[in-house]
Amino acid sequence: MNGQGAALSIADAMALAVEASESARGISSPNPAVGAVILDAHGIVVGIGSTRPPGGPHAEIVALAEAGDRARGGTAVVTLEPCNHTGRTGPCSQALIDAGIAAVVHAVADPNPLASGGGAALCAAGIRVEQGIGETAVRQGPLRAWLHKQRTGRPHVTWKYAATLDGRSAAADHTSQWITGPQARAHVHAERAKLDAIVVGTGTVLADDPRLTARRPDGTLSPHQPVRVVVGSRQIPATAAIRGPDAPTVFLDTHDPAAVIDALSEHTDIQIEGGPTLAGAFLAAGLVDRVVAYVAPAVLGSGPTAVENAGIGTIADAIRFRTETVTMIGNDILIGVVPEGAK
Protein backbone atom coordinates (compact mmCIF):
# COMPACT_ATOMS: atom_id res chain seq x y z
CA MET A 1 0.00 0.00 0.00
CA ASN A 2 1.73 3.19 -1.17
CA GLY A 3 -0.69 5.66 0.33
CA GLN A 4 -1.39 7.28 -3.04
CA GLY A 5 -4.77 7.65 -4.70
CA ALA A 6 -8.09 9.36 -4.13
CA ALA A 7 -9.64 9.75 -0.71
CA LEU A 8 -12.33 7.19 0.13
CA SER A 9 -15.65 7.67 1.87
CA ILE A 10 -16.10 5.74 5.10
CA ALA A 11 -18.72 3.57 3.39
CA ASP A 12 -16.29 2.64 0.62
CA ALA A 13 -13.54 1.97 3.17
CA MET A 14 -15.90 -0.35 5.07
CA ALA A 15 -16.62 -2.21 1.83
CA LEU A 16 -12.86 -2.74 1.49
CA ALA A 17 -12.70 -3.98 5.08
CA VAL A 18 -15.52 -6.46 4.41
CA GLU A 19 -13.68 -7.70 1.33
CA ALA A 20 -10.51 -8.15 3.39
CA SER A 21 -12.40 -10.04 6.10
CA GLU A 22 -13.65 -12.57 3.55
CA SER A 23 -10.06 -13.69 3.04
CA ALA A 24 -9.88 -14.60 6.75
CA ARG A 25 -12.94 -16.86 6.80
CA GLY A 26 -11.94 -20.37 7.79
CA ILE A 27 -8.34 -19.27 8.34
CA SER A 28 -8.99 -17.21 11.48
CA SER A 29 -11.41 -19.67 13.12
CA PRO A 30 -12.28 -19.89 15.97
CA ASN A 31 -11.44 -16.18 16.06
CA PRO A 32 -13.73 -13.86 14.08
CA ALA A 33 -12.88 -13.10 10.46
CA VAL A 34 -12.25 -9.36 10.76
CA GLY A 35 -11.12 -6.85 8.18
CA ALA A 36 -9.59 -3.42 8.80
CA VAL A 37 -8.67 -0.42 6.66
CA ILE A 38 -6.51 2.51 7.77
CA LEU A 39 -7.14 5.88 6.15
CA ASP A 40 -4.58 8.63 6.61
CA ALA A 41 -5.55 12.15 7.70
CA HIS A 42 -6.57 12.92 4.10
CA GLY A 43 -8.82 9.86 3.75
CA ILE A 44 -6.40 7.89 1.56
CA VAL A 45 -5.99 4.15 2.15
CA VAL A 46 -2.60 3.41 3.70
CA GLY A 47 -3.21 -0.02 5.24
CA ILE A 48 -5.48 -3.03 4.79
CA GLY A 49 -5.49 -6.09 7.04
CA SER A 50 -7.40 -9.24 7.93
CA THR A 51 -7.18 -11.51 10.95
CA ARG A 52 -4.42 -14.10 10.71
CA PRO A 53 -4.64 -17.71 11.99
CA PRO A 54 -5.02 -18.19 15.78
CA GLY A 55 -2.02 -16.80 17.59
CA GLY A 56 -1.30 -14.35 14.79
CA PRO A 57 -2.09 -10.63 14.64
CA HIS A 58 -5.62 -9.29 14.39
CA ALA A 59 -6.80 -7.28 11.38
CA GLU A 60 -6.11 -3.90 12.98
CA ILE A 61 -2.53 -4.84 13.78
CA VAL A 62 -1.87 -6.02 10.22
CA ALA A 63 -3.36 -2.83 8.77
CA LEU A 64 -1.45 -0.60 11.20
CA ALA A 65 1.83 -2.32 10.36
CA GLU A 66 1.25 -1.60 6.68
CA ALA A 67 0.28 2.01 7.37
CA GLY A 68 3.20 2.81 9.67
CA ASP A 69 3.49 6.49 10.63
CA ARG A 70 0.85 7.41 8.06
CA ALA A 71 -1.80 6.12 10.49
CA ARG A 72 -1.26 9.07 12.84
CA GLY A 73 -4.24 11.41 12.69
CA GLY A 74 -6.11 8.99 10.47
CA THR A 75 -9.19 6.76 10.70
CA ALA A 76 -9.44 3.02 11.31
CA VAL A 77 -12.42 1.34 9.63
CA VAL A 78 -13.04 -2.12 11.10
CA THR A 79 -15.78 -4.72 10.65
CA LEU A 80 -15.83 -5.59 14.39
CA GLU A 81 -15.28 -3.42 17.46
CA PRO A 82 -11.55 -3.54 18.30
CA CYS A 83 -10.82 -5.99 21.11
CA ASN A 84 -9.91 -4.73 24.56
CA HIS A 85 -8.27 -7.76 26.11
CA THR A 86 -4.94 -9.55 26.14
CA GLY A 87 -5.01 -13.15 24.96
CA ARG A 88 -2.45 -14.63 22.60
CA THR A 89 -2.13 -11.08 21.27
CA GLY A 90 -2.47 -7.67 22.92
CA PRO A 91 -5.56 -5.42 22.81
CA CYS A 92 -6.20 -3.84 19.42
CA SER A 93 -7.75 -0.81 21.12
CA GLN A 94 -4.41 0.05 22.73
CA ALA A 95 -2.55 -0.50 19.46
CA LEU A 96 -4.85 2.00 17.75
CA ILE A 97 -4.31 4.49 20.57
CA ASP A 98 -0.52 4.06 20.40
CA ALA A 99 -0.60 4.57 16.61
CA GLY A 100 -2.20 7.99 17.03
CA ILE A 101 -5.45 7.12 15.27
CA ALA A 102 -7.95 9.99 15.49
CA ALA A 103 -11.17 8.11 14.70
CA VAL A 104 -12.42 4.51 14.64
CA VAL A 105 -15.48 3.32 12.74
CA HIS A 106 -16.67 -0.23 13.32
CA ALA A 107 -19.68 -2.03 11.87
CA VAL A 108 -20.63 -4.34 14.74
CA ALA A 109 -20.11 -4.23 18.50
CA ASP A 110 -18.16 -7.15 19.96
CA PRO A 111 -20.66 -9.38 21.84
CA ASN A 112 -17.90 -11.37 23.58
CA PRO A 113 -17.68 -10.08 27.16
CA LEU A 114 -14.03 -11.14 27.38
CA ALA A 115 -13.02 -8.95 24.43
CA SER A 116 -15.58 -6.14 24.36
CA GLY A 117 -15.03 -2.63 25.64
CA GLY A 118 -12.68 -1.48 22.92
CA GLY A 119 -14.99 1.33 21.88
CA ALA A 120 -15.16 2.70 25.44
CA ALA A 121 -11.38 2.50 25.82
CA LEU A 122 -10.91 4.40 22.58
CA CYS A 123 -13.39 7.08 23.62
CA ALA A 124 -11.63 7.44 26.97
CA ALA A 125 -8.41 8.12 25.05
CA GLY A 126 -10.07 10.95 23.13
CA ILE A 127 -10.62 9.01 19.91
CA ARG A 128 -13.89 9.55 18.05
CA VAL A 129 -15.79 6.26 17.73
CA GLU A 130 -18.71 5.49 15.42
CA GLN A 131 -20.62 2.23 15.10
CA GLY A 132 -23.08 0.81 12.56
CA ILE A 133 -21.76 1.69 9.09
CA GLY A 134 -21.86 -1.47 6.96
CA GLU A 135 -23.53 -3.46 9.73
CA THR A 136 -25.91 -5.42 7.48
CA ALA A 137 -23.15 -6.44 5.07
CA VAL A 138 -20.99 -7.64 7.96
CA ARG A 139 -23.76 -9.48 9.81
CA GLN A 140 -24.90 -11.26 6.64
CA GLY A 141 -21.35 -11.79 5.41
CA PRO A 142 -18.02 -12.66 6.99
CA LEU A 143 -19.12 -12.44 10.65
CA ARG A 144 -22.45 -14.26 10.26
CA ALA A 145 -21.28 -17.61 11.66
CA TRP A 146 -19.12 -16.16 14.44
CA LEU A 147 -21.87 -13.82 15.66
CA HIS A 148 -24.32 -16.74 15.58
CA LYS A 149 -22.04 -18.83 17.77
CA GLN A 150 -21.55 -15.96 20.20
CA ARG A 151 -25.32 -15.61 20.45
CA THR A 152 -26.34 -19.28 20.58
CA GLY A 153 -23.25 -21.17 21.75
CA ARG A 154 -23.37 -23.58 18.81
CA PRO A 155 -21.93 -23.68 15.28
CA HIS A 156 -23.77 -21.95 12.46
CA VAL A 157 -25.28 -24.50 10.06
CA THR A 158 -25.80 -23.85 6.35
CA TRP A 159 -27.64 -26.37 4.20
CA LYS A 160 -26.27 -26.20 0.66
CA TYR A 161 -27.79 -28.05 -2.27
CA ALA A 162 -28.09 -27.95 -6.04
CA ALA A 163 -31.36 -28.77 -7.79
CA THR A 164 -33.32 -28.33 -10.99
CA LEU A 165 -36.36 -26.08 -11.40
CA ASP A 166 -38.57 -28.99 -10.35
CA GLY A 167 -36.53 -29.57 -7.19
CA ARG A 168 -34.64 -32.67 -8.31
CA SER A 169 -31.16 -33.25 -6.93
CA ALA A 170 -30.52 -36.16 -9.32
CA ALA A 171 -32.12 -37.92 -12.26
CA ALA A 172 -34.23 -41.08 -12.07
CA ASP A 173 -31.09 -43.18 -12.52
CA HIS A 174 -29.48 -41.19 -9.65
CA THR A 175 -26.95 -39.44 -11.88
CA SER A 176 -26.30 -35.89 -10.66
CA GLN A 177 -23.16 -34.65 -12.45
CA TRP A 178 -23.63 -31.98 -13.44
CA ILE A 179 -26.88 -30.26 -12.47
CA THR A 180 -25.30 -26.81 -12.36
CA GLY A 181 -22.78 -25.15 -14.63
CA PRO A 182 -19.03 -24.63 -14.15
CA GLN A 183 -19.36 -21.15 -12.65
CA ALA A 184 -21.69 -22.40 -9.92
CA ARG A 185 -19.42 -25.36 -9.17
CA ALA A 186 -16.41 -23.03 -8.90
CA HIS A 187 -18.40 -20.87 -6.48
CA VAL A 188 -19.16 -23.92 -4.33
CA HIS A 189 -15.46 -24.74 -4.05
CA ALA A 190 -14.55 -21.13 -3.24
CA GLU A 191 -17.10 -21.18 -0.41
CA ARG A 192 -15.90 -24.55 0.86
CA ALA A 193 -12.44 -23.06 1.31
CA LYS A 194 -13.92 -20.68 3.91
CA LEU A 195 -15.71 -23.30 6.03
CA ASP A 196 -14.70 -25.16 9.18
CA ALA A 197 -16.47 -28.42 8.32
CA ILE A 198 -18.62 -30.11 5.66
CA VAL A 199 -21.18 -32.74 6.75
CA VAL A 200 -22.55 -35.56 4.60
CA GLY A 201 -24.31 -38.86 5.25
CA THR A 202 -22.97 -42.31 4.55
CA GLY A 203 -25.53 -42.62 1.76
CA THR A 204 -23.96 -39.78 -0.17
CA VAL A 205 -20.47 -41.20 0.31
CA LEU A 206 -21.50 -44.67 -0.85
CA ALA A 207 -23.48 -43.38 -3.84
CA ASP A 208 -21.17 -40.62 -5.11
CA ASP A 209 -17.73 -41.34 -3.59
CA PRO A 210 -17.02 -37.59 -3.20
CA ARG A 211 -13.68 -36.11 -2.15
CA LEU A 212 -15.42 -33.15 -0.46
CA THR A 213 -12.37 -30.98 -0.85
CA ALA A 214 -12.11 -27.29 -1.72
CA ARG A 215 -10.41 -26.96 -5.09
CA ARG A 216 -9.28 -24.10 -7.27
CA PRO A 217 -10.53 -23.80 -10.88
CA ASP A 218 -7.37 -25.58 -12.08
CA GLY A 219 -8.17 -28.58 -9.85
CA THR A 220 -5.46 -27.99 -7.26
CA LEU A 221 -6.36 -27.95 -3.58
CA SER A 222 -7.12 -24.65 -1.85
CA PRO A 223 -4.74 -23.82 1.03
CA HIS A 224 -7.51 -24.20 3.63
CA GLN A 225 -9.51 -27.43 3.71
CA PRO A 226 -12.59 -27.91 5.89
CA VAL A 227 -12.92 -31.01 8.05
CA ARG A 228 -14.96 -33.67 6.26
CA VAL A 229 -17.64 -35.19 8.49
CA VAL A 230 -19.48 -38.41 7.61
CA VAL A 231 -22.66 -39.14 9.57
CA GLY A 232 -24.31 -42.57 9.83
CA SER A 233 -23.79 -46.23 10.69
CA ARG A 234 -22.96 -47.84 7.37
CA GLN A 235 -19.38 -48.86 6.76
CA ILE A 236 -17.33 -46.77 4.34
CA PRO A 237 -14.83 -48.69 2.18
CA ALA A 238 -11.15 -48.21 2.93
CA THR A 239 -10.71 -47.12 -0.69
CA ALA A 240 -13.33 -44.32 -0.49
CA ALA A 241 -12.09 -40.96 -1.77
CA ILE A 242 -13.17 -39.28 1.45
CA ARG A 243 -10.54 -41.30 3.33
CA GLY A 244 -7.82 -39.68 1.25
CA PRO A 245 -5.12 -37.45 2.74
CA ASP A 246 -6.33 -34.19 1.16
CA ALA A 247 -8.26 -33.12 4.27
CA PRO A 248 -9.05 -34.43 7.76
CA THR A 249 -12.08 -36.70 8.04
CA VAL A 250 -14.32 -37.43 11.04
CA PHE A 251 -16.78 -40.35 11.18
CA LEU A 252 -19.79 -39.99 13.50
CA ASP A 253 -21.84 -43.13 14.13
CA THR A 254 -25.13 -41.33 14.73
CA HIS A 255 -28.27 -40.17 12.94
CA ASP A 256 -29.07 -37.47 15.51
CA PRO A 257 -28.44 -33.92 14.24
CA ALA A 258 -28.07 -32.64 17.81
CA ALA A 259 -25.33 -35.20 18.46
CA VAL A 260 -23.56 -34.08 15.28
CA ILE A 261 -23.65 -30.46 16.41
CA ASP A 262 -22.34 -31.43 19.85
CA ALA A 263 -19.47 -33.37 18.27
CA LEU A 264 -18.58 -30.33 16.15
CA SER A 265 -18.97 -27.77 18.94
CA GLU A 266 -15.38 -26.53 18.57
CA HIS A 267 -16.18 -25.34 15.05
CA THR A 268 -17.98 -22.15 14.05
CA ASP A 269 -19.11 -22.47 10.42
CA ILE A 270 -20.33 -25.83 9.13
CA GLN A 271 -22.21 -26.82 5.99
CA ILE A 272 -24.57 -29.71 5.31
CA GLU A 273 -23.94 -31.12 1.84
CA GLY A 274 -25.50 -34.55 2.26
CA GLY A 275 -28.52 -35.98 0.53
CA PRO A 276 -32.24 -35.43 1.14
CA THR A 277 -32.42 -37.60 4.28
CA LEU A 278 -29.68 -35.72 6.12
CA ALA A 279 -31.14 -32.37 5.06
CA GLY A 280 -34.59 -33.41 6.25
CA ALA A 281 -33.26 -34.51 9.63
CA PHE A 282 -31.51 -31.18 10.25
CA LEU A 283 -34.57 -29.22 9.11
CA ALA A 284 -36.88 -31.28 11.34
CA ALA A 285 -34.54 -30.66 14.27
CA GLY A 286 -34.59 -26.90 13.69
CA LEU A 287 -30.83 -26.86 13.18
CA VAL A 288 -30.59 -25.14 9.80
CA ASP A 289 -29.60 -21.49 10.13
CA ARG A 290 -29.34 -20.71 6.43
CA VAL A 291 -30.10 -22.38 3.11
CA VAL A 292 -27.96 -21.83 0.01
CA ALA A 293 -29.65 -23.20 -3.11
CA TYR A 294 -28.04 -23.44 -6.52
CA VAL A 295 -30.98 -23.73 -8.93
CA ALA A 296 -30.29 -24.86 -12.49
CA PRO A 297 -32.66 -23.87 -15.34
CA ALA A 298 -33.41 -27.51 -16.12
CA VAL A 299 -36.23 -30.01 -15.56
CA LEU A 300 -35.75 -33.74 -14.84
CA GLY A 301 -39.35 -34.71 -14.17
CA SER A 302 -38.43 -37.51 -11.79
CA GLY A 303 -35.63 -38.56 -9.48
CA PRO A 304 -34.61 -37.80 -5.87
CA THR A 305 -35.74 -34.50 -4.41
CA ALA A 306 -33.46 -32.13 -2.53
CA VAL A 307 -35.02 -32.92 0.86
CA GLU A 308 -37.16 -35.66 2.42
CA ASN A 309 -38.84 -36.31 5.78
CA ALA A 310 -38.50 -32.85 7.28
CA GLY A 311 -41.33 -33.56 9.73
CA ILE A 312 -43.97 -31.61 7.80
CA GLY A 313 -47.43 -33.10 7.31
CA THR A 314 -49.50 -30.12 6.20
CA ILE A 315 -49.01 -26.75 4.55
CA ALA A 316 -49.58 -25.00 7.87
CA ASP A 317 -46.40 -26.64 9.19
CA ALA A 318 -44.20 -25.48 6.31
CA ILE A 319 -40.80 -24.16 7.40
CA ARG A 320 -40.81 -20.58 6.20
CA PHE A 321 -37.72 -18.63 5.21
CA ARG A 322 -36.83 -15.02 4.43
CA THR A 323 -34.96 -14.38 1.20
CA GLU A 324 -31.69 -12.51 1.66
CA THR A 325 -30.01 -12.80 -1.73
CA VAL A 326 -30.76 -13.85 -5.29
CA THR A 327 -27.72 -13.90 -7.58
CA MET A 328 -27.02 -15.09 -11.10
CA ILE A 329 -23.93 -17.32 -11.35
CA GLY A 330 -23.41 -18.18 -14.97
CA ASN A 331 -26.72 -19.60 -16.14
CA ASP A 332 -27.74 -20.74 -12.64
CA ILE A 333 -29.46 -18.91 -9.80
CA LEU A 334 -28.03 -18.77 -6.28
CA ILE A 335 -30.67 -18.18 -3.61
CA GLY A 336 -29.78 -17.48 0.03
CA VAL A 337 -32.49 -17.66 2.69
CA VAL A 338 -32.67 -17.68 6.50
CA PRO A 339 -35.51 -18.81 8.78
CA GLU A 340 -38.26 -16.27 9.35
CA GLY A 341 -37.53 -14.38 12.54
CA ALA A 342 -33.79 -15.05 12.37
CA LYS A 343 -31.57 -12.23 13.61
Side-chain angles (χ1 to χ4, degrees), residues 14-330:
M14 183 62 77
L16 271 182
V18 172
E19 182 180 329
S21 68
E22 276 290 336
S23 67
R25 281 183 55 205
I27 296 171
S28 67
S29 188
N31 295 329
V34 178
V37 170
I38 305 298
L39 304 176
D40 69 10
H42 305 288
I44 296 171
V45 177
V46 292
I48 300 176
S50 59
T51 304
R52 297 299 190 248
H58 292 184
E60 298 94 321
I61 308 304
V62 176
L64 285 171
E66 188 174 87
D69 291 339
R70 294 167 294 178
R72 189 163 299 278
T75 299
V77 180
V78 193
T79 56
L80 182 67
E81 177 186 10
C83 69
N84 196 46
H85 81 303
T86 300
R88 283 183 281 193
T89 60
C92 292
S93 56
Q94 188 60 50
L96 292 164
I97 294 168
D98 294 343
I101 286 289
V104 174
V105 178
H106 60 89
V108 179
D110 193 331
N112 186 340
L114 295 177
S116 62
L122 292 164
C123 286
I127 295 173
R128 179 173 58 85
V129 177
E130 183 177 355
Q131 177 186 317
I133 292 179
E135 180 174 2
T136 298
V138 171
R139 287 189 179 277
Q140 293 182 1
L143 285 183
R144 178 198 297 269
W146 184 83
L147 289 170
H148 174 275
K149 190 169 186 180
Q150 295 299 306
R151 186 173 64 251
T152 67
R154 67 168 178 83
H156 180 274
V157 178
T158 297
W159 168 40
K160 187 278 294 183
Y161 71 93
T164 58
L165 289 174
D166 55 340
R168 307 292 175 175
S169 59
D173 63 356
H174 291 270
T175 55
S176 60
Q177 294 182 341
W178 296 104
I179 285 178
T180 55
Q183 294 96 328
R185 298 198 298 274
H187 188 268
V188 167
H189 282 280
E191 287 299 303
R192 277 183 180 176
K194 302 172 183 178
L195 297 170
D196 294 332
I198 297 173
V199 182
V200 297
T202 54
T204 293
V205 174
L206 293 172
D208 299 336
D209 194 26
R211 290 170 61 191
L212 288 184
T213 51
R215 299 186 294 278
R216 301 185 180 101
D218 63 3
T220 60
L221 293 172
S222 297
H224 171 71
Q225 293 294 320
V227 174
R228 302 174 293 190
V229 183
V230 181
V231 176
S233 302
R234 285 184 283 183
Q235 291 296 312
I236 303 301
T239 56
I242 204 165
R243 292 187 182 275
D246 296 336
T249 305
V250 174
F251 295 89
L252 299 176
D253 187 3
T254 181
H255 294 95
D256 181 4
V260 174
I261 294 300
D262 286 344
L264 300 177
S265 61
E266 67 184 82
H267 297 296
T268 299
D269 197 357
I270 69 176
Q271 184 159 285
I272 306 300
E273 291 198 15
T277 301
L278 185 67
F282 270 82
L283 286 166
L287 290 174
V288 172
D289 304 303
R290 182 175 61 144
V291 181
V292 174
Y294 294 82
V295 181
V299 172
L300 287 172
S302 61
T305 56
V307 61
E308 294 178 355
N309 303 322
I312 301 167
T314 179
I315 190 66
D317 296 331
I319 304 171
R320 301 287 181 178
F321 294 88
R322 180 180 78 247
T323 302
E324 279 191 344
T325 57
V326 178
T327 310
M328 290 297 300
I329 299 185

